[in-house]
Every structure is written in structure tokens, then in C-alpha cells.
Amino acid sequence: MNSIIRAWKLLEILKAHTDADHKLTQTELLGLMKQKEGSCTEKTLRTDLRNLMAVLNPAPEEYGERTDEFRIVYDGIGTEGQDRISGVRYVHEFSNRELELLIELVKSSEDMDREQCALLEDKLKGLGSCYYQYRTDSVKSVPRFSTINKEHLWENLNVIRDAITGNKKISFLFNGYNRDGALSPVRPRPYMVSPYYVLIYGMKYYLLANTEGYENASVYRLDLMSEAKLTDEPRKSIRDVEELKHVSPGEYMERHMNMNYDMPLTVTLKVRSDGYTVLHDCFGDHYTYKRAIDAGHDEVTVVCSQQAILDWAIQFSGRIEILRPRTIRKKILEKAQTLMQQYKN
């Protein structure tokens, strides 16, 4: 058999039959090779194995610097004249836990249909050894209803990528859905913006930009944009945009729940002692404990956009109360009075 084909079969065996918890002796490896080829010898096996390691592993002089890049490893070579390699295994590109994380991401994706998801899941499972079993097959995803046109979304994304790379502004119409389920412009003239980042939040894509004529940051959903065009006009420096010159995209999202883009402010909350779960769900550990108000309530502060914290506080009014600023308390009261009148009859 051709040495290249033989080496390829050897590599297939190592990928399929070894992992971090399963190794092969030279005798076991020879037995598996004979099942595939029939005429493999110990000498040929050792030669092929060493050739594979020479190709897939770092050069000897780089061992110390690139230990994470080894693909074929072994425990040792026999002593007293024996030339047997023991404990041979293939180092897979993804650990079992990493494969599970990737599969779970595929399961929760809104950008693929169920058939595509199943196909990709099978491919990911095949990246492990024969011993790998996906331990969370009981986890099932419920596809969310979505009217997003994926091709339209990718077209917008490509225009934005070109603009960010070329340091240019873009123009587009911004839309909302009408009663017929079609996108309809919210205003007749296009928006002109300086794009900086594309963010993924709640399985949707958002453009973080500066709108011409304003100093603050703006947020636009990519799937609601149409007629996006690259312009020749240079975009505004990010250093001239409030909120963006001192914060990272991640910090911006933390302070703008649900991608509300009004200016964030410090808000003092009264939290029930058993209400910290909703606080963690929305803010993680980005809150500051101040004091215990009484046996059942604490005072904490968060930094968040005004509109976002208002909606959130109403949603979780049974566990959260806004203490300050007074302006937000007043707006919640006005909202509650409006709702009371709306549902009175």
C-alpha cells in the first residue's frame, strides 16, 4: 500500500480510537492497522507513526514554546532494546466539553433550520473519538418564530463590514413591520451613520454607530435596515462619540439592556433578598451592594439606560423597586396610572 495512504489510515485510527482518556499500545495499534490493511508490520507502523508526528507536531526545537500544538503524543518508548511506543493517542482539536458547547450553540441558533442544525450536530459529534457520547441529547431547543430575511441581513452586514474596514459612513432606510407583515420605512429619507461595531444581543444583530447630526451613540437592528449603501464620506472618529470613547462594546451592552441607546445613569434599587436571581440574569455581577435596608431587602446600585431600567423595573415590580433617581420613580408611577386606566374596564 502507498505510504501516504497507509499514514492516512493510521491517522484515522488514532482519531477514532483515542482521546484524552483512551490510549493505544503499539500492539493494539498494529492490530487495528492490520484490520484495515492486512500486511502492516511493526517496523512499518513505527516509521509511519514517526512520520506523522514529524508532520503534525511542532519541530523538536519548538517543543517548549508550543506544547499546546501537539497532535500525536505518547507515554514513552520501551527500554532494554525494545523499540515499542506505548500510550499513543491523538489530541483532538476540540475537547468533549468544547464539542458540547458548540452543539448547544447550534441547537439554540435562529439562523439555521432544523435540518441544517441536525446535519451540523452530526458533523460536530464526528470530531470526537468513538468513545465520545454527547451527554446532553435530552436538551432540545424550541425554534423561535422569526420573520428575518437572512439573505437581506447578510447583505447589510457585508456593507457594514466594508464601511468599518474602509473607515466610511453608510446610508440606509430604517424600517418597522406594518400590519401586512412587510417592512415599511419609519421615515422617507435615509439615515447617514458612522458604523463602529456589529453586536449580537438576544440572537439579533445590531449596528452600534453614530448618526449624523448627533453626538451620542445610536443602535440599529440590521434586519430592519434596507437599501444600505457604502458612501465616500469618512466616518466620524469614535473618540468624538459620547459613550463609545471610553467603553468597550461589551461594556456598552452591559449598560444598555435590550439595546436601548439612551444615556446610562446610576440607579439605586431596593431588592428583595430572594430577588437576586433576576438581578444576576440581567446584570451579572455588575452591581454594587450598598446596605441591608431591613431583614428582607437590600439596597444596590446599577448603571443602566433609563428606558431599559424603567421597563425592567415594571416587569419585576414584585422583587425590585427603584429608589433613585426620583425622575424614574415618577415615570413608573405615570406608567402604572396609565395601565390602570387602560385595564380598568
Side-chain angles (χ1 to χ4, degrees):
M1 180 181 290
N2 183 290
S3 60
I4 295 177
I5 297 176
R6 196 171 56 239
W8 179 260
K9 289 184 178 293
L10 177 59
L11 182 60
E12 286 183 331
I13 290 173
L14 289 171
K15 286 183 175 182
H17 294 275
T18 67
D19 55 33
D21 300 315
H22 302 87
K23 305 174 183 179
L24 290 174
T25 65
Q26 183 171 299
T27 300
E28 291 169 335
L29 192 53
L30 181 62
L32 290 170
M33 277 295 289
K34 285 183 175 180
Q35 290 178 18
K36 278 185 171 287
E37 184 181 349
S39 60
C40 186
T41 66
E42 287 189 356
K43 182 178 179 180
T44 300
L45 175 66
R46 287 194 297 270
T47 299
D48 292 340
L49 189 56
R50 290 194 175 99
N51 288 338
L52 273 179
M53 287 190 288
V55 172
L56 298 178
N57 292 347
E61 62 271 15
E62 299 175 327
Y63 281 0
E65 300 176 0
R66 301 170 60 188
T67 54
D68 293 339
E69 297 181 30
F70 279 76
R71 280 290 166 258
I72 298 176
V73 297
Y74 58 91
D75 292 340
I77 298 178
T79 58
E80 298 181 0
Q82 296 180 359
D83 197 18
R84 292 177 175 271
I85 300 174
S86 61
V88 185
R89 70 179 179 91
Y90 180 78
V91 180
H92 291 266
E93 287 80 356
F94 298 100
S95 69
N96 289 351
R97 182 53 188 149
E98 288 171 337
L99 286 176
E100 288 177 354
L101 289 172
L102 290 171
I103 291 171
E104 287 162 15
L105 284 173
V106 169
K107 283 177 174 287
S108 62
S109 173
E110 293 184 354
D111 292 327
M112 293 182 287
D113 58 36
R114 294 301 93 191
E115 184 178 341
Q116 289 176 308
C117 285
L119 181 62
L120 191 49
E121 282 179 41
D122 289 340
K123 288 184 177 181
L124 287 171
K125 291 175 183 179
L127 295 177
S129 72
C130 65
Y131 302 101
Y132 171 65
Q133 292 183 339
Y134 178 53
R135 295 178 297 175
T136 52
D137 268 331
S138 58
V139 177
K140 304 296 181 184
S141 63
V142 179
R144 295 184 182 181
F145 178 74
S146 176
T147 59
I148 294 176
N149 184 318
K150 300 300 190 302
E151 291 186 7
H152 176 67
L153 175 66
W154 301 138
E155 289 173 1
N156 290 337
L157 187 57
N158 287 332
V159 171
I160 293 168
R161 284 171 175 165
D162 290 342
I164 293 174
T165 302
N167 202 32
K168 301 294 185 181
K169 291 183 179 180
I170 63 170
S171 68
F172 57 86
L173 291 175
F174 195 66
N175 307 277
Y177 283 98
N178 59 26
R179 68 179 61 174
D180 298 319
L183 289 176
S184 178
V186 298
R187 73 178 196 186
R189 67 184 188 280
Y191 286 81
M192 178 77 77
V193 308
S194 296
Y196 302 109
Y197 304 106
V198 173
L199 311 175
I200 301 177
Y201 186 97
M203 302 306 293
K204 289 184 174 63
Y205 289 78
Y206 294 86
L207 171 63
L208 187 54
N210 167 258
T211 304
E212 192 173 72
Y214 296 88
E215 299 301 320
N216 64 325
S218 303
V219 178
Y220 300 94
R221 261 176 57 183
L222 264 67
D223 60 291
L224 299 181
M225 295 164 51
S226 62
E227 300 184 26
K229 298 175 183 177
L230 182 67
T231 74
D232 294 326
E233 188 174 342
R235 67 177 178 175
K236 179 187 291 188
S237 170
I238 196 171
R239 294 188 294 272
D240 296 328
V241 181
E242 293 298 327
E243 293 188 82
L244 298 185
K245 56 185 177 183
H246 298 305
V247 300
S248 67
E251 291 171 325
Y252 184 90
M253 286 194 289
E254 290 168 2
R255 297 180 180 185
H256 295 79
M257 192 191 316
N258 298 326
M259 297 308 292
N260 286 278
Y261 59 86
D262 53 317
M263 288 291 289
L265 71 168
T266 300
V267 181
T268 303
L269 305 172
K270 180 180 179 180
V271 183
R272 265 176 38 183
S273 299
D274 61 353
Y276 276 93
T277 299
V278 297
L279 194 66
H280 274 271
D281 285 348
C282 296
F283 297 99
D285 58 359
H286 297 280
Y287 67 88
T288 302
Y289 169 83
K290 291 296 185 179
R291 65 186 179 94
I293 296 175
D294 53 41
H297 300 86
D298 295 336
E299 180 180 305
V300 302
T301 61
V302 297
V303 177
C304 186
S305 78
Q306 179 174 295
Q307 185 59 49
I309 199 72
L310 193 156
D311 293 340
W312 180 75
I314 291 175
Q315 180 182 2
F316 295 105
S317 58
R319 297 174 232 183
I320 301 290
E321 178 186 347
I322 291 181
L323 300 179
R324 294 179 295 278
R326 301 290 299 182
T327 53
I328 299 183
R329 284 182 64 89
K330 182 179 179 181
K331 288 184 178 181
I332 291 178
L333 176 60
E334 292 171 351
K335 182 70 172 178
Q337 291 171 338
T338 300
L339 288 172
M340 184 177 68
Q341 291 298 321
Q342 183 176 336
Y343 289 95
K344 193 173 182 178
N345 299 320

